[in-house]
């Protein structure tokens, strides 16, 4: 048996663009992906702090250092530039694995620079 657990999250990222005419996904600066141990193509949940919307999509890498967080495709109707979001990745693991696993948390500043990184939930 496995259970779904928090794998990592990017907390309070600022949406820099919403592109309705793109195929779909969320574009995330590669530096943030590396910090959060997230991967291109990985499924993530997006929680919009401004309006309460919650949706799932997959990751596309953005240019390292540009600090872009772009909501693409139909999901662009659920977030606007300037909105604060939480990007959440999950993983399946056994209960024994879950007992010892510490998720990666990346907290960002207003401009999407990394303010703090840690493992575990506090």
């Amino acid at each position: 048996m496995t259970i779904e657990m928090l794998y990592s999250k990017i907390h309070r990222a600022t949406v820099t663009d919403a592109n309705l005419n793109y195929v779909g996904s969320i574009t995330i600066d590669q530096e943030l992906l590396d910090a959060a141990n997230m991967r291109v193509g990985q499924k993530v949940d997006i929680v919009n702090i401004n309006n309460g919307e919650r949706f799932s999509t997959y990751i596309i890498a953005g240019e390292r250092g540009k600090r872009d967080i772009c909501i693409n495709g139909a999901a662009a109707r659920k977030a606007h530039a300037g909105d604060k979001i939480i990007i959440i990745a999950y993983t399946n693991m056994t209960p024994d694995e879950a007992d010892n696993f510490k998720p990666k948390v990346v907290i960002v500043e207003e401009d999407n620079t990394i303010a703090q990184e840690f493992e575990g939930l506090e």
Side-chain angles (χ1 to χ4, degrees), residues 11-22:
H11 193 75
R12 295 190 62 83
T14 303
V15 174
T16 57
D17 193 16
N19 184 350
L20 186 62
N21 295 313
Y22 193 83

Side-chain angles (χ1 to χ4, degrees), residues 79-120:
H80 303 306
D83 284 359
K84 291 289 189 186
I85 62 172
I86 304 169
I87 305 164
I88 307 166
Y90 301 94
T91 189
N92 289 305
M93 58 183 74
T94 68
D96 286 340
E97 290 171 322
D99 288 344
N100 298 309
F101 182 76
K102 294 184 189 286
K104 183 70 183 269
V105 178
V106 177
I107 300 173
V108 297
E109 301 284 357
E110 187 77 25
D111 65 353
N112 293 328
T113 57
I114 297 171
Q116 185 179 8
E117 298 178 56
F118 57 90
E119 292 184 354

Side-chain angles (χ1 to χ4, degrees), residues 27-102:
T27 303
I28 303 172
D29 180 306
Q30 185 64 54
E31 185 176 315
L32 293 174
L33 292 179
D34 292 345
N37 297 327
M38 292 181 182
R39 292 165 170 74
V40 171
Q42 184 174 11
K43 179 181 178 182
V44 288
D45 283 350
I46 310 300
V47 181
N48 188 323
I49 296 169
N50 291 75
N51 63 22
E53 289 282 357
R54 186 178 191 118
F55 56 94
S56 298
T57 190
Y58 62 93
I59 296 170
I60 293 177
E63 187 176 331
R64 183 179 298 280
K66 284 194 71 179
R67 311 288 183 247
D68 287 339
I69 300 287
C70 182
I71 308 297
N72 300 308
R77 297 204 183 273
K78 296 181 176 283
H80 303 306
D83 284 359
K84 291 289 189 186
I85 62 172
I86 304 169
I87 305 164
I88 307 166
Y90 301 94
T91 189
N92 289 305
M93 58 183 74
T94 68
D96 286 340
E97 290 171 322
D99 288 344
N100 298 309
F101 182 76
K102 294 184 189 286

